[in-house]
């Protein structure tokens, strides 16, 4: 106080008393507000009032004994004027000296008791006796009706004449005026409760008070700014001290009043205050704002004694000397200047204002215009020019008051926010001035961050004066600066200010000095603070009972020496000349919660408000700032996000037009009062950090980015089957090169992209052309057999895992290098283009063709000079598979659906729980990629694909359940390890299983459809799973994901005895036959048949004229169909029994064959004529059958013609490849030794003797002819078309058929309808339904005719070969009794697990030979042999009319 300073502390008498008996300590309350708060509470509690100067007598333990405010000093004019016995400061000093000397103990005990009561009072104010943090009612007990009570209090005390709410002295109390002004700006809910009239009246009271202040002497009418308070009720005589915190609060208040009223008078006050803050002497040259200007100054440069207001008061004589008579008269009338002065004697106790005038507006330009006969515009111009002249005169001729050049963080925070808001509102009125105000605000923030902030510890220092002070920041420093930074963000949308505010709030909430293991979650430290306050986490300001202490904990700031000897720690909730730190903190928490979508901030804001519940309910008018927190706690804070489309994608490209529209909208939104809402902007190079900090914005950003990913995946789902089909037709190499060309085009568009449309086009082109993954998978299937398939696929997966491990990190590093301003990712895109082009060139020159058909063509070209060269393709042996493509594709879809969703949500979870940045997430993904690479190179390639898939699915489900419950980084990395197992196994295994099901000619298409199903899941998974993640929460989302993963992929099953087989679910097993046998030429006992089979593999694909007969087509069809079977593998013990049985049958049949050949030699000449007759009769039967099956022939021919058109000139190449495949497969394939008994005729002999082929095995069937049922060769219809000799030969068959009708019929096996004219299936019963005397079963599955069939041969195909459409095939049985096989004929154990294949015959020469030989021989035996002879039994079994099983020929 300048009065007591002059009266007492400059008195030698006072100095002698103080120094003799006391230890005088002068405390700057601006530097140590904590001390001022403690002892002001004491004085208010003991005297009922308080204020400054504050004088308190303390014990050596700092406990208060006695205190008061102002006491007059020696020879004080105030004491002389006082009526009654006024106690002077000298009297107080003498009395305290005497009492201490005589009653020191009593003084000490009294001080201790008072201190105890103060502590209890402080604790009661925040309910520490009944609630703890997290258990409070979070403001829910405070109702909005409290606002109405506060309004009624102010309405009763409102001064309708002069404005304000008290008598003299009058303080502006910006907090209370702000409460009234903004009461009507809250949502309609507040208006409904308080009343619409009341809200309007409240704003009117506030606006009228502001107008009275703007016209009164409290405002510097010549210069700028407002004084501290008014001594008079009409605001005419101020206390001339100017405080920074007053200017900042009044600027905010006048700005809101202008927004509400659009009154130019209030706008003038806004410009004046903002100009004062941004001009010397308040604006520091280095940035920031000084604290205050003194009230006293020297009247002139020659004076030696200061007077209050000397810098601001005027005489009429000075007016005339400066302005001249004309302007002086106008200005004197306008400002109320008189010759005798305008300060009443009662208000001038020190006679400082004799003949002096304090300028205040006493008229209006309109009234002056009438008085002086001038226009109103001329009056205004005269006033403006006069004001400028007076200001220049004052600045030049008068010394300015002393400047308090401390830079206080708290007050600077208020000024930063006010100037930031002002610049935004005034931008459309005066852009140049607005930019000036904004720059001053930013400069002050930068200065504080540089000089008074420790970025490492997040701590603030409070003061700066010729260097940083040693006083730590208090709660108001943090709270007011955070408020200013939020306002500055909404003015500039530079989220760096929000990032700093977030760090400051974290420091305000918790100390950085607590011991937490390296596995603790940073986000829990900073954002889930209310849930983790424990003994090892010491609060810096936050109280365990809610709200914030004024001072930090001594242990919270190791870098700053926090006060440790304070009497007590208080919490500021009640507003005074400054808003309370807790009311501003509560508002900050709600605003940050809205901006960050952070519920922990919202909860702490509610707890802060709830901490003062009792006080607010009792005195709501004393908590104007906290009442705003009550409304926010009840109604929340509305958040507005402004962005243009690409803004959420990280601001990749600038769209000037869209950005201007967003800026305009943002400016309009932020020009309001800002009550109950926040505004943020994403895009245009801003908002990158906020997009990551705000979980919702990050989700929107990632979802929009995910929408592009979903679009890419959807396009891939469309393109993959097409790419696969084209690769089957034109070759893998050709398809891959075209795919690489599309990739080059896509990346080139990315390089050139300067707008979002071009980037989107690059993604579309890439999605439709990218086929590297599926073509690599198809190539791996081409170059590997079934045993090696899983290992080969795993090696491909290793390569992709390595690329995905290091690729993103490389891309992120290159993205930080800017070469094109319009495209921040041009560097990364250019490097990608280089890699893609280099890869394409390498593939063009070095990649061989792997498609079997195309590769066989190349092999045939290379074998022109050497006919004996072996084909290099692996044998293509097709086991009987059990997982259909539909099942595999569905499994792939379900797996990718859940896995991609989890993968997409992983960054959200890591950020929420551990505050992971992009680099931290990149390290996690790199860890997963490394583990996946190691697993694929070691474990995956050694396991069967089905086991690989099952392992990955279980690991993935386990990781889902773990991710839903983890809370440490150890758990995160454990779950990531399980996800790495999934990455290394499932897709690789499913690709292998899918390749098993596809034939060589359809492998690309099938794998393409398989990939397409996965891409559909990838396009839907992120959207569905992330929606579930936000809607239901992390735990529920991951739990559902784990269950879905197990349920959606449970359709696959496997064989227990042989991991090389894949079996169907149990419900389908009975429909599939056991393991088939392989016909091996080397083990064929019939020499003529073996030679004929070998001849068929080496003879040219043409039909000799002497073998052109089709009379035996039907038998030939049976032979081919039986030979073309694909069987399911059986258990090893069943296989051994089957082999022994077959060997016994082979020996018995060999014996019968030898006897038949000897008899045949004797009767050969006689039977020649009979055969000719029989052949003629059979020809007639064939002709009749031809007519009956004409429709089937036409359909078969159409199918053949389609295949011819599809494969064209490549038929001859595929024929060569087929023979090469057969030769290679025969060298490794396993066969079940099973030789039918077929005596060759002279026709077969001629076919066999024409060639001398090498010994080999047959591996596949070529042409899938149709098999007719035995009924077509039996019965009365057949007998009527035969010659008498042939009819006589068939008589035993008829008799046997009649006898069989009386025998019990065995159950019929299910039959399958053929799929197409050239596709059918013949199945046989399982061992459980087979005849007791024959345990061996067999099955035949027909395939479409491959493209390498000879077209000339197909043209002459008998129409009987398509009759499988109308006649279901019937099984053929073999006789049960067989001799024991010779030991040397047992197959090698290695052959027992070899994959099953088919018998491939490409020669019509062999077809005719086998048909005619078998028919003729069997009919001859039936006609001549005794019925009890072995020959007759065998032949009868071959033509069994009951449809019994016969040995496949």
């Amino acid at each position: 106080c300048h009065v007591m300073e002059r009266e007492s502390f400059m008195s030698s008498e006072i100095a002698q008393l103080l120094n003799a008996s006391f230890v005088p300590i002068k405390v700057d309350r601006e530097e140590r507000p904590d001390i001022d708060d403690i002892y002001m509470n004491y004085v208010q509690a003991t005297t009922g009032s308080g204020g400054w100067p504050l004088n308190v007598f303390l014990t050596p333990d700092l406990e208060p004994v006695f205190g008061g405010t102002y006491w007059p000093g020696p020879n004080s004019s105030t004491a002389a004027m006082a009526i009654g016995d006024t106690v002077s400061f000298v009297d107080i000093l003498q009395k305290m000296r005497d009492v201490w000397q005589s009653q020191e103990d009593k003084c000490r005990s009294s001080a201790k008791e008072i201190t105890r009561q103060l502590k209890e009072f402080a604790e009661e104010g925040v309910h520490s006796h009944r609630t703890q943090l997290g258990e409070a009612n979070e403001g829910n007990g405070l109702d909005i009706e409290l606002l109405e009570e506060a309004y009624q209090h102010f309405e009763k005390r409102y001064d309708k004449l002069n404005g304000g709410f008290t008598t003299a002295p009058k303080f502006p109390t910006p907090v209370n005026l702000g409460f009234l002004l903004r009461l009507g700006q809250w949502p309609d809910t507040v208006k409904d409760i308080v009343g619409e009239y009341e809200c309007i009246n409240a704003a009117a009271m506030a606006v009228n008070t502001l107008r009275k202040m703007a016209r009164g002497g409290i405002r510097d009418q010549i210069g700028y700014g407002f004084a501290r308070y008014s001594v008079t009720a009409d605001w005419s005589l101020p206390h001339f001290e100017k405080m920074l915190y007053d200017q900042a609060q009044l600027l905010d208040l006048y700005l809101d009043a202008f927004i509400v009223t659009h009154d130019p008078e209030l706008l003038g006050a806004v410009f004046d205050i903002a100009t004062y803050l941004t001009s010397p002497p308040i604006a520091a040259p280095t940035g920031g704002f000084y604290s205050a200007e003194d009230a006293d100054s020297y009247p002139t440069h020659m004076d030696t004694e200061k007077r209050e207001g000397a810098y601001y008061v005027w005489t009429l004589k000075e007016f005339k000397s400066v302005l001249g008579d004309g302007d002086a008269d106008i200005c004197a009338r306008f400002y109320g200047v008189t010759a005798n002065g305008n300060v009443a004697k009662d208000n001038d106790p020190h006679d400082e204002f004799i003949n002096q005038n304090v300028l205040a507006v006493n008229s209006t330009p309109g009234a002056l215009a009438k008085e002086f006969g001038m226009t109103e515009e001329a009056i205004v111009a005269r006033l403006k020019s006069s004001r400028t002249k007076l200001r220049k005169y004052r600045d030049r001729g008068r010394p300015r008051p002393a400047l308090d050049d401390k830079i206080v963080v708290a007050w600077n925070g208020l000024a930063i926010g006010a100037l930031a808001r002002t610049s935004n509102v005034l931008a459309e009125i005066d852009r140049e001035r607005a930019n000036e105000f904004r720059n001053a605000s930013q400069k002050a923030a930068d200065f504080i961050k540089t000089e008074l902030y420790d970025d490492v510890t997040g701590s603030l220092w409070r003061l700066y004066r010729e260097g940083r002070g040693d006083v730590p920041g208090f709660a108001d420093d943090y709270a007011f600066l955070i408020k200013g930074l939020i306002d500055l963000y909404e003015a500039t949308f530079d989220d760096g200010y929000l990032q700093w505010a977030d760090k400051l709030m974290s420091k305000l909430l918790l100390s950085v000095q607590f011991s937490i293991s390296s596995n603790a979650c940073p986000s829990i430290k900073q954002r889930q603070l209310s849930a983790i306050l424990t003994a090892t986490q010491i609060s810096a300001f936050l109280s365990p009972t809610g709200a914030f202490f004024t001072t930090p904990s001594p242990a919270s700031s190791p870098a700053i020496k926090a006060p440790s000897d304070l009497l007590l720690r208080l919490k500021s909730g009640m507003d005074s000349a400054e808003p309370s730190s807790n009311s501003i903190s509560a508002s900050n928490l709600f605003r940050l919660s809205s901006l960050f979508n952070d519920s922990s901030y919202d909860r702490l804001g509610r707890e802060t408000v709830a901490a003062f519940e009792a006080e607010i309910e009792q005195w709501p008018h004393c908590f104007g700032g906290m009442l705003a927190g009550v409304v926010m706690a009840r109604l929340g804070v509305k958040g507005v996000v402004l962005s243009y489309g690409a803004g959420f994608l990280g601001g990749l490209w600038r769209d000037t037009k869209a950005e201007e529209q967003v800026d305009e909208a943002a400016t309009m939104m932020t020009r309001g009062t800002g009550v109950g809402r926040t505004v943020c902007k994403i895009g245009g190079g801003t908002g990158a950090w906020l997009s990551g900090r705000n979980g919702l914005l990050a989700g929107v950003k990632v979802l929009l980015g995910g929408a592009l990913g979903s679009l890419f995946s959807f396009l891939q789902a469309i393109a993959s089957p097409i790419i696969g089909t084209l690769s089957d037709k034109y070759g893998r190499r050709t398809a891959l090169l075209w795919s690489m060309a599309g990739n080059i085009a896509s990346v080139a568009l990315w390089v050139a992209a300067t707008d979002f449309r071009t980037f989107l086009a690059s993604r579309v082109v890439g999605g439709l052309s990218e086929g590297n993954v599926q073509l690599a998978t198809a190539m791996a299937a081409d170059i590997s057999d079934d045993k090696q398939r899983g290992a080969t696929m795993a090696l491909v997966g290793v390569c992709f895992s390595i690329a995905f491990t290091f690729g993103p990190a490389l891309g992120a590093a290159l993205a930080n290098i800017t070469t094109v301003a319009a495209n921040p990712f041009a560097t990364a895109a250019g490097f990608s283009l280089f890699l893609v082009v280099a890869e394409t060139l390498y593939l063009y020159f070095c990649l061989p063709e792997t498609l079997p058909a195309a590769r066989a063509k190349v092999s045939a070209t290379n074998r022109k000079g050497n006919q004996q060269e072996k084909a290099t393709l692996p044998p293509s042996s097709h086991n009987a598979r059990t997982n259909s493509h539909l099942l595999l594709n569905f499994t792939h879809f379900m797996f990718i659906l859940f896995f991609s969703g989890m993968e997409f949500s992983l960054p959200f979870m890591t950020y929420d729980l551990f505050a992971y940045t992009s680099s931290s997430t990149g390290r996690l993904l790199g860890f997963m990629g490394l583990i996946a690479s190691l697993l694929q190179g070691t474990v995956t390639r050694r396991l069967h694909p089905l086991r690989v898939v099952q392992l990955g699915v279980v690991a993935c489900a386990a990781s889902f359940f773990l991710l839903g419950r983890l809370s440490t980084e150890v758990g995160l990395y454990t779950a990531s390890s399980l996800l790495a197992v999934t990455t290394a196994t499932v897709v690789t295994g499913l690709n292998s299983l899918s390749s098993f099901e596809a034939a060589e000619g359809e492998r690309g298409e099938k794998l393409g459809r398989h990939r397409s199903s996965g891409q559909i899941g990838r396009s839907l998974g992120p959207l569905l799973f992330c929606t579930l993640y936000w809607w239901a929460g992390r735990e529920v989302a991951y739990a559902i994901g784990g269950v879905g993963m197990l349920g959606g992929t449970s359709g696959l099953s496997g064989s227990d005895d042989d991991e090389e087989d894949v079996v169907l679910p149990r419900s389908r097993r009975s429909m599939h036959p056991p393991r088939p046998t392989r016909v091996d030429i080397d083990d064929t006992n019939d020499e003529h048949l073996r030679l004929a089979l070998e001849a068929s593999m080496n003879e040219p694909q043409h039909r000799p004229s002497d073998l052109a007969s089709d009379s035996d087509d039907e038998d030939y069809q049976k032979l081919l169909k039986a030979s073309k079977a694909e069987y399911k593998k059986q258990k090893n013990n069943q296989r051994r029994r089957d082999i022994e049985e077959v060997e016994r049958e082979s020996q018995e049949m060999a014996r019968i064959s030898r006897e038949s050949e000897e008899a045949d030699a004797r009767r050969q000449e006689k039977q020649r004529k009979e055969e000719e007759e029989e052949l003629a009769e059979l020809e007639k039967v064939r002709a009749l059958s031809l007519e009956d099956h004409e429709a089937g022939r036409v359909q078969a021919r159409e199918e053949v013609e389609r295949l011819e058109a599809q494969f064209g000139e490549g038929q001859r190449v595929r024929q060569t490849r087929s023979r090469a495949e057969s030769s290679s497969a025969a060298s490794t394939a396993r066969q079940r030794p099973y030789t039918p008994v077929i005596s060759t005729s002279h026709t077969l002999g001629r076919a066999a003797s024409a060639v001398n082929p090498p010994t080999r095995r047959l591996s596949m069937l070529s042409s899938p002819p149709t098999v007719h049922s035995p009924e077509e060769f039996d019965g009365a219809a057949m007998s009527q078309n035969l010659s008498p000799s042939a009819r006589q030969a068939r008589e035993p068959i008829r008799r046997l058929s009649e006898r069989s009708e009386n025998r019990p019929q065995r159950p019929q096996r299910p039959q399958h309808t053929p799929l197409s004219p050239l596709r059918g299936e013949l199945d046989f019963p399982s061992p459980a339904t087979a005849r007791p005397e024959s345990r061996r079963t067999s099955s035949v599955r027909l395939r479409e005719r491959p493209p390498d069939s000879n077209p000339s041969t197909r043209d002459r195909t008998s129409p009987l070969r398509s009759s499988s459409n109308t006649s279901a095939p019937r099984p053929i049985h073999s006789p049960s009794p067989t001799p024991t096989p010779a030991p040397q004929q047992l197959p090698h154990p290695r052959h027992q697990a070899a994959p099953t294949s088919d018998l491939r015959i490409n020669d019509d020469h062999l077809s005719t030979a086998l048909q005619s030989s078998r028919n003729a021989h069997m009919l001859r035996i039936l006609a001549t042999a005794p019925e009890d002879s072995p020959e007759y039994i065998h032949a009868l079994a071959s033509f069994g009319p009951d449809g019994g099983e016969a040995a496949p020929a």
Side-chain angles (χ1 to χ4, degrees), residues 1178-1236:
L1178 290 174
E1179 184 64 20
K1180 295 179 181 179
V1181 175
R1182 189 191 68 80
L1184 292 175
S1185 178
L1186 178 62
E1187 295 175 356
D1188 294 338
H1189 298 86
E1190 182 62 23
R1193 182 188 64 80
V1194 173
Q1195 192 174 4
R1197 183 176 298 275
E1198 290 175 352
E1199 181 70 6
V1200 170
E1201 289 174 354
R1202 185 186 67 80
L1203 295 175
E1204 288 177 348
Q1206 179 180 358
F1207 296 100
E1209 291 298 329
Q1211 294 171 347
R1212 289 189 297 274
V1213 176
R1214 285 187 288 272
Q1215 292 166 9
T1216 305
R1217 176 189 59 77
S1218 298
R1219 291 196 299 271
E1221 284 181 286
S1222 301
S1223 176
S1224 175
S1227 63
T1228 58
R1230 175 185 59 83
Q1231 64 95 25
R1232 290 178 61 181
Y1234 178 57
T1235 304

Side-chain angles (χ1 to χ4, degrees), residues 388 444 486 560 778 861 983 999 1078 1123 1138:
T388 302
I486 297 174
I560 303 175
T861 303
T983 304
R1078 182 193 303 270
S1123 302
D1138 289 346

Side-chain angles (χ1 to χ4, degrees), residues 519-530:
N519 294 327
C521 305
S523 65
I524 293 180
K525 297 177 186 176
Q526 298 183 3
R527 282 172 286 279
Q528 298 177 351
L529 303 165
S530 59

Side-chain angles (χ1 to χ4, degrees), residues 1353-1410:
T1353 302
R1354 289 197 305 271
D1355 289 343
R1356 293 192 297 272
T1357 302
S1358 170
L1360 293 177
R1361 298 187 180 185
S1362 62
S1363 62
S1364 59
N1365 294 304
T1366 57
S1367 176
R1370 296 178 63 85
I1372 305 173
H1373 286 274
S1374 64
S1376 177
T1378 55
T1380 303
Q1384 62 273 17
Q1385 292 182 342
L1386 290 175
H1388 193 277
R1390 176 182 175 185
H1391 295 164
Q1392 295 179 14
T1396 306
S1397 65
D1398 306 312
L1399 176 64
R1400 180 185 293 261
I1401 302 175
N1402 296 320
D1403 193 1
D1404 285 345
H1405 180 167
L1406 175 63
S1407 170
T1408 303
L1410 292 175

Side-chain angles (χ1 to χ4, degrees), residues 853-1093:
R855 192 170 179 182
K857 180 178 179 180
V858 176
S859 300
T861 303
N862 295 334
R863 287 199 303 271
K864 287 182 179 179
N866 183 7
Q867 295 296 331
Q868 300 300 324
E869 180 179 354
K870 300 285 186 178
T872 58
L873 287 174
S876 179
S877 57
H878 291 279
N879 290 342
R881 305 302 174 188
T882 57
N883 290 307
S884 67
H885 280 291
L886 180 62
L887 175 63
L888 290 171
N889 293 345
F890 176 75
T891 301
H892 195 203
F893 166 78
M894 293 299 296
F895 168 75
I896 294 296
L897 180 70
F898 288 102
F899 184 79
S900 63
M902 177 280 305
E903 187 179 37
F904 205 74
S905 67
L906 192 60
F908 305 153
M909 187 202 66
T910 56
Y911 183 83
D912 290 341
L913 293 182
F914 309 105
Y916 267 21
T917 60
S918 298
S919 59
S920 301
T921 304
R923 285 194 297 269
L924 178 66
L925 297 178
F927 168 78
M928 293 170 58
L930 181 61
I931 298 298
S933 301
L934 295 175
L935 290 173
Q936 290 200 84
T938 55
V939 177
T940 304
R941 64 190 302 262
R942 288 176 169 82
L943 293 178
H944 185 266
L946 181 61
R947 300 295 176 260
V948 165
V949 173
Q950 293 170 341
L951 173 63
V953 168
V954 172
C956 187
S959 68
F960 266 98
F961 294 124
L962 183 58
L963 288 172
R965 293 164 176 78
L966 62 86
S967 59
T968 64
E969 285 186 296
V970 172
L972 175 64
Y973 273 83
T974 302
S976 300
S977 300
L978 294 174
L979 291 177
V981 175
T982 304
T983 304
T985 53
V986 177
V987 175
T988 299
L990 288 174
N991 286 337
S992 299
L993 294 177
S994 182
S995 67
F996 287 156
E997 304 295 334
E1000 291 174 350
E1002 61 180 8
R1003 187 172 290 153
E1005 177 191 359
K1006 296 300 184 183
L1007 291 176
R1009 294 186 182 278
H1010 183 71
R1011 175 172 170 79
S1012 176
S1013 64
Q1015 291 299 318
I1016 294 174
R1018 190 176 296 278
S1019 65
L1020 299 176
L1023 297 175
L1024 297 178
F1025 193 86
C1026 290
T1027 301
L1028 180 64
Y1029 183 93
W1030 291 323
W1031 174 66
R1034 172 171 64 99
E1035 294 80 1
V1036 175
Y1038 284 117
I1040 293 176
V1043 174
M1045 179 64 65
L1046 293 176
T1049 58
S1050 60
L1052 299 177
S1053 62
S1055 174
D1056 296 331
D1057 61 315
D1058 192 349
E1059 287 196 349
E1060 289 183 340
D1061 280 337
V1062 182
V1063 297
L1064 283 172
R1066 185 178 303 276
S1067 61
R1068 297 176 57 192
R1069 293 181 185 177
S1070 61
M1071 298 173 62
H1072 286 261
R1075 183 187 305 276
T1077 60
R1078 182 193 303 270
V1079 177
D1080 194 323
I1081 298 177
D1082 295 338
D1083 295 333
T1084 302
N1085 294 331
D1086 187 271
E1087 182 64 17
H1088 297 287
L1089 176 60
R1090 185 176 65 81
L1091 293 176
L1093 294 175

